[in-house]
Amino acid sequence: MPVDPTTHEWRYPPGLFPNGADGHVGALTPKQSEQVAALLAALSVDPSLDLPRLARYDVTPQVFLVRHLRAHGWDGQEAEKAVRELQAWREEHQVDALLRLSARDVLLQDPEPLLAHFPHYVAGRDRWGRPVAWSLYGGFHLKRLLQHTSWPKVLRHHAWEMERLSALLLRLSLSSGRLVDRVTVVVDLLGFSLTALSSQLVHFLNEVAAMDKKYYADRAGQLLLINAPKALRAVYGRIRKMLDPEGAMEVSILSSEAEWGPRLRALVPEEELPVQYGGKGKDFEDLYAGGYEGPGSIEPPPERPAAPGPAGGGDRRPSSYRRASSRRERGGPVHPRPTTGAGWWQLLRTMVVFLRPLLQGPAGQAGSAPGPGE
């Protein structure tokens, strides 16, 4: 039975933060609690700002404020500015209305082309109850995708996905009594060709990362890149210092199945792990046999008033690739589920910038990359 969010003492699942949960809800320092209270007071006196509505996907408005303070390095002024910009963006683009729309209504077209060339899924939960998003980059063809749709439609669709995922996180929190406000992301690079790297791809990642970072703060919890080139580890070592220490998630870069297999099985229970990765969970192909409806529920979260006080050789691609390809050749439906999340887009975008010259050899060998929309 769902708990009462205004009276429940919210904590994250035990063991989620092995090195301590400092700076998170339930483990704030006295100074951080004061910062939350100060930000709440500053926003509450503004009659034009609807804080309960902005925090509709968090168990309490205070948890919403902690997310934004963490995302901005506990800078109260920057967090307040971000919250005000969030409301302006949601009003300008009528984001509140997205949750009740279908994928077809959001895109103003059949979602099949977007799903066929952007094979991402949300399937299962990790050991702490967080949804697991799977990105199969071997089947990601951005140029083909943009032959069927446009940048504005893709970005609107991404916002729709984020709204539905946020509603799912709230529902999981209320049903479990534990804070479930982040997503675990697995990016499978098997079959992903370096020839796919282009300014067009970097532009796409940049646009999505900007939206996630600004309007869906601190939603990504852990990232695993599997079947990754070994050179990627060296690249990550070079860019790690560039990541925001407050917002950076745990990142693991694993090349062989001998490396990532045990990590996945330790992270995702067998009954939740998709069959494509040796588990007994859902088959990607069966997730949306009846139609694509995106992450989460279409039901909007309940409206809640603000609670007083601060908060504590051969084709080695996964079988889903092969079956999806054959379905497309036969003209049948394919319903992969797009991944959502925040910081991992920014991380991958940065990796692209460093990895491309590292792996392509001397300048002049790769040729010119197409610009956005080409």
Side-chain angles (χ1 to χ4, degrees):
M1 184 175 181
V3 300
D4 182 348
T6 61
T7 60
H8 185 69
E9 185 177 357
W10 289 101
R11 294 287 188 276
Y12 285 95
L16 179 59
F17 302 110
N19 298 321
D22 294 352
H24 292 82
V25 172
L28 300 181
T29 66
K31 180 179 180 181
Q32 289 168 341
S33 294
E34 292 175 3
Q35 290 175 285
V36 176
L39 181 56
L40 176 60
L43 296 173
S44 298
V45 298
D46 185 351
S48 68
L49 194 137
D50 191 346
L51 182 59
R53 192 162 190 82
L54 291 176
R56 65 203 299 246
Y57 297 130
D58 291 271
V59 292
T60 68
Q62 289 80 7
V63 171
F64 166 83
L65 297 179
V66 170
R67 280 202 298 115
H68 284 78
L69 283 165
R70 282 181 48 79
H72 293 87
W74 290 93
D75 186 320
Q77 291 185 338
E78 287 298 316
E80 180 179 349
K81 177 182 176 183
V83 171
R84 295 185 184 280
E85 291 177 347
L86 172 63
Q87 176 165 292
W89 174 75
R90 294 185 70 88
E91 291 176 348
E92 178 184 356
H93 298 281
Q94 300 180 324
V95 178
D96 284 356
L98 289 179
L99 196 65
R100 293 190 178 277
L101 300 180
S102 68
R104 181 183 292 271
D105 291 336
V106 171
L107 289 166
L108 303 177
Q109 66 182 72
D110 188 338
E112 171 61 21
L114 184 145
L115 303 176
H117 301 303
F118 199 178
H120 299 177
Y121 309 80
V122 174
R125 303 181 196 172
D126 68 12
R127 59 186 294 191
W128 297 287
R130 301 181 299 188
V132 183
W134 307 82
S135 302
L136 311 183
Y137 262 53
F140 182 20
H141 302 290
L142 180 60
K143 190 171 183 178
R144 297 178 191 175
L145 170 62
L146 293 179
Q147 292 173 354
H148 298 277
T149 187
S150 65
W151 287 121
K153 289 182 179 180
V154 172
L155 291 176
R156 179 174 167 83
H157 183 267
H158 179 69
W160 174 77
E161 291 177 327
M162 290 301 297
E163 292 295 298
R164 298 179 74 90
L165 182 64
S166 298
L168 171 62
L169 292 171
L170 173 61
R171 192 171 70 251
L172 292 174
S173 295
L174 294 176
S175 62
S176 68
R178 300 283 186 179
L179 271 177
V180 182
D181 60 356
R182 292 174 183 162
V183 180
T184 291
V185 180
V186 180
V187 177
D188 190 345
L189 296 175
L190 186 63
F192 182 68
S193 171
L194 289 176
T195 60
L197 299 180
S198 65
S199 60
Q200 192 178 51
L201 175 58
V202 172
H203 178 74
F204 173 77
L205 296 179
N206 213 359
E207 290 280 311
V208 175
M211 179 186 293
D212 288 350
K213 182 176 181 180
K214 194 166 187 178
Y215 305 123
Y216 298 97
D218 204 27
R219 282 301 195 191
Q222 184 170 358
L223 168 67
L224 276 74
L225 289 98
I226 65 175
N227 293 309
K230 293 183 178 180
L232 202 56
R233 292 180 181 176
V235 174
Y236 178 63
R238 293 170 60 184
I239 69 171
R240 184 166 187 167
K241 293 181 180 179
M242 299 168 58
L243 300 178
D244 177 7
E246 289 289 348
M249 58 188 143
E250 180 182 346
V251 177
S252 299
I253 302 177
L254 309 167
S255 297
S256 67
E257 186 171 353
E259 291 178 313
W260 58 256
R263 287 293 302 275
L264 272 186
R265 289 189 289 272
L267 180 63
V268 184
E270 184 180 29
E271 63 272 16
E272 298 285 337
L273 188 65
V275 297
Q276 280 78 7
Y277 294 96
K280 298 180 180 179
K282 296 287 187 178
D283 186 317
F284 290 154
E285 289 294 297
D286 298 333
L287 282 175
Y288 285 97
Y292 172 70
E293 287 300 332
S297 167
I298 63 171
E299 294 299 323
E303 298 289 348
R304 296 183 303 279
D315 190 350
R316 295 183 59 249
R317 298 175 297 170
S319 58
S320 61
Y321 279 11
R322 299 193 292 273
R323 290 200 297 272
S325 297
S326 63
R327 281 192 188 183
R328 283 193 291 271
E329 291 167 1
R330 296 195 303 268
V334 181
H335 299 289
R337 192 175 195 175
T339 292
T340 54
W344 68 275
W345 285 107
Q346 182 68 26
L347 178 62
L348 286 179
R349 182 189 68 82
T350 310
M351 284 184 170
V352 165
V353 174
F354 282 90
L355 187 59
R356 190 175 189 185
L358 180 66
L359 298 185
Q360 287 186 329
Q365 294 183 5
S368 60
E374 293 183 6

